[in-house]
Amino acid sequence: MRFTTEHDAIAYIFSTRDRMVKIPHGLDENVRDPSITRRMLMRANLNLEGREYVTITGSKGKGSTAALCAKLLQHLGHTVGLLTSPHLITWYERIRVNGRSIPQEDFLRILSDLSPVIDLEASRLEPQQYISPQGILLLIALRYFDEQGVNAAVLEVGRGGRYDDVTMVPNRLALFTPIIIEHAQYLGDTLERIAWHKSGIIDTGSYAYSVPQSREVLDVLQREADVKSAEFYWLSRIDMPEYLGETENGQRMKLGRYGECELSLLGRYQLENAALAVQGVGNMHARLKGIPHGSQEYVDAIRAGLADVRWPGRMHKLQDNPLVIVDGAVNTLSAKSFLDSAEGRLTHPVVTVLGVPQDRDYQAVYELYAQKSDAMVITSSTINPRILFPDEETALTTAQAYISDVQYRDTLPEALEAAYAKAGKEGTVLLGVAQPLVGEAMILWDVDMTQI
């Protein structure tokens, strides 16, 4: 075997990128080349046509929607592959079959088997080209799906769509979660341009579903569907589930023919994701053998899947006394959704721990959290050197415009200690932090990420 450790494997996956003197930056259409991944897929002789694929993109909620789709398909009797990004603790979380992450030994073995294909492509790169790490992970996932007999696969896009590696896999179904202005340096600085990038996941002659979107976004998605002769459906507000109340670790809702259901995810925004997943899975299951779509057995399977889904780190309750909830809500839309969803659970004093990267609108995010907080603790992370945070002086000066009781701590454990001192046993600690800090929280609370 060529690779025997995770360190060596990940170093290899990033090797062509890391050896570049200057990594190309700019709009995806100018710097990303998914055709490299397409050639590797062809040479690796992977199963691109023999199973059903759904590809999911959006600006928020796409990971949750992917997890929901996978769990629903599993309850309908399918063997389900899932590819998501980013991971919270280990790279193996990104590749799953029936919710279980790929074992390390299989990850290393498959990468070793695929390395001749990767090496050949690496030898042909131009000076300003590199092999996408996500493209290599896609190859590993598809080979593992082949070995495990996967008949339905759920693929989450990275940030865009049209130039993302997963679009090299043909799908019969595309799903769109809410699309907002994000990653402007890569996708463009208008909503229409960002929607154009996202719409690139629609395949010729396929189906596409979207949650409610702005008119500008819907127009772009519809145009792309028309060009691709695809059928496009958008859910309206009346298609959304009716919220019925909270449960200890989730919420109750009423959803059409499925009646009153339990959804084992916190976050009011998850209702929208659940509605999209149910619609998409219904479309996908219709092309697969199994439980008749119109049967009570089908209804029961969907209800069971909604109650069984697990997606750690997304509005995740970590403990009681004090109540601690974590979410990667570091842009204005996700922060507002997090705060609105947590409203009924909050007990004062409310102390917010924030770790917002400097390339986000951290000023606006601070302001939103300050409106619901009695105190605030700002922190950062060095786990991922590519993600930078405001320095202490900048963070404190910015936050003090909105809240007087604010502190800065260098690490998450130190920030939590300060938050506990303020919240006591009866208060609430909200963690609105970037992905590396969410992962660190999973480690601190020993959350099992192996099975979802």
Side-chain angles (χ1 to χ4, degrees):
M1 178 178 285
R2 178 170 178 176
F3 302 105
T4 57
T5 69
E6 178 181 352
H7 177 271
D8 289 344
I10 300 306
Y12 173 74
I13 288 171
F14 280 85
S15 60
T16 61
R17 174 176 169 168
D18 288 346
R19 75 189 183 194
M20 300 181 71
V21 175
K22 183 178 181 181
I23 298 174
H25 288 286
L27 295 171
D28 279 358
E29 56 264 44
N30 297 328
V31 302
R32 301 187 77 176
D33 183 7
S35 66
I36 296 172
T37 296
R38 180 190 291 118
R39 291 194 295 270
M40 293 194 300
L41 291 171
M42 295 299 104
R43 291 196 183 98
N45 194 29
L46 296 165
N47 182 11
L48 301 182
E49 303 287 349
R51 67 172 62 94
E52 281 290 325
Y53 291 97
V54 53
T55 304
I56 302 172
T57 192
S59 301
K60 66 179 296 289
K62 59 184 186 294
S64 298
T65 303
L68 279 157
C69 286
K71 185 59 69 175
L72 294 175
L73 287 165
Q74 184 181 347
H75 274 267
L76 287 168
H78 304 296
T79 302
V80 186
L82 176 63
L83 176 67
T84 59
S85 67
H87 60 275
L88 295 181
I89 300 176
T90 75
W91 290 88
Y92 313 122
E93 298 165 30
R94 297 186 178 215
I95 301 170
R96 299 178 183 271
V97 171
N98 285 351
R100 181 163 293 278
S101 57
I102 183 173
Q104 176 177 289
E105 57 269 25
D106 289 320
F107 185 95
L108 298 177
R109 172 183 55 80
I110 292 172
L111 180 60
S112 298
D113 291 344
L114 291 170
S115 61
V117 171
I118 300 167
D119 291 343
L120 177 61
E121 196 62 43
S123 70
R124 298 177 176 180
L125 293 175
E126 298 294 331
Q128 290 304 304
Q129 288 182 313
Y130 64 92
I131 297 176
S132 164
Q134 182 66 7
I136 297 176
L137 291 169
L138 176 63
L139 262 68
I140 297 171
L142 294 176
R143 175 61 58 82
Y144 187 59
F145 295 168
D146 289 349
E147 294 178 353
Q148 297 297 308
V150 165
N151 70 317
V154 182
L155 307 179
E156 179 194 357
V157 166
R159 64 170 174 247
R162 192 173 298 273
Y163 297 94
D164 195 279
D165 298 282
V166 302
T167 60
M168 297 300 97
V169 178
N171 69 66
R172 296 290 304 280
L173 177 64
L175 299 182
F176 296 92
T177 66
I179 295 172
I180 61 173
I181 292 180
E182 51 147 0
H183 298 302
Q185 67 271 42
Y186 304 115
L187 305 179
D189 58 4
T190 66
L191 193 55
E192 291 85 349
R193 193 62 183 174
I194 291 169
W196 177 80
H197 274 276
K198 307 283 187 184
S199 71
I201 70 170
I202 300 175
D203 263 355
T204 301
S206 65
Y207 300 87
Y209 290 82
S210 173
V211 299
Q213 308 274 8
S214 68
R215 174 47 57 189
E216 303 99 299
V217 169
L218 288 177
D219 286 347
V220 173
L221 299 181
Q222 184 66 68
R223 283 198 297 271
E224 185 73 21
D226 291 343
V227 168
K228 299 286 184 62
S229 299
E231 296 189 32
F232 176 53
Y233 306 91
W234 59 93
L235 281 64
S236 69
R237 292 298 170 191
I238 62 173
D239 298 315
M240 294 296 104
E242 178 187 353
Y243 172 74
L244 299 178
E246 298 175 351
T247 64
E248 182 178 356
N249 292 299
Q251 52 197 313
R252 292 182 299 109
M253 64 182 184
K254 187 174 182 180
L255 178 61
R257 64 182 286 212
Y258 307 100
E260 292 190 11
C261 306
E262 182 175 338
L263 178 62
S264 56
L265 296 172
L266 299 175
R268 202 72 58 85
Y269 55 87
Q270 297 289 11
L271 300 182
E272 188 173 78
N273 296 333
L276 179 62
V278 168
Q279 289 286 343
V281 163
N283 176 284
M284 196 172 182
H285 180 72
R287 294 186 293 278
L288 295 164
K289 295 180 180 179
I291 300 171
H293 192 280
S295 67
Q296 184 61 42
E297 185 181 5
Y298 182 92
V299 171
D300 292 343
I302 294 295
R303 288 169 54 86
L306 291 170
D308 188 38
V309 66
R310 182 170 178 266
W311 194 229
R314 287 74 176 181
M315 197 166 176
H316 184 158
K317 186 176 80 168
L318 295 168
Q319 68 172 57
D320 294 300
N321 305 317
L323 175 65
V324 179
I325 306 176
V326 62
D327 192 86
V330 292
N331 63 42
T332 54
L333 180 61
S334 59
K336 187 176 187 305
S337 295
F338 180 27
L339 291 167
D340 288 346
S341 298
E343 182 72 36
R345 299 176 183 268
L346 299 180
T347 53
H348 290 276
V350 176
V351 185
T352 302
V353 176
L354 290 183
V356 185
Q358 67 179 20
D359 65 348
R360 302 301 177 101
D361 187 359
Y362 61 87
Q363 179 175 343
V365 174
Y366 289 178
E367 182 178 11
L368 281 171
Y369 280 106
Q371 293 169 7
K372 300 288 185 177
S373 302
D374 298 302
M376 185 180 292
V377 184
I378 301 176
T379 190
S380 63
S381 171
T382 59
I383 293 173
N384 186 340
R386 295 185 177 92
I387 299 178
L388 302 177
F389 296 81
D391 60 64
E392 178 177 354
E393 181 180 357
T394 300
L396 287 174
T397 300
T398 303
Q400 284 165 352
Y402 309 110
I403 187 169
S404 59
D405 192 346
V406 57
Q407 306 174 51
Y408 184 94
R409 294 293 185 271
D410 289 325
T411 68
L412 182 59
E414 292 170 341
L416 288 167
E417 183 179 1
Y420 292 156
K422 291 283 185 179
K425 292 291 186 181
E426 303 303 320
T428 303
V429 176
L430 297 178
L431 277 68
V433 293
Q435 175 263 332
L437 290 161
V438 175
E440 189 174 354
M442 298 299 100
I443 294 171
L444 291 172
W445 269 268
D446 196 25
V447 176
D448 178 21
M449 301 296 296
T450 304
Q451 181 72 48
I452 63 169

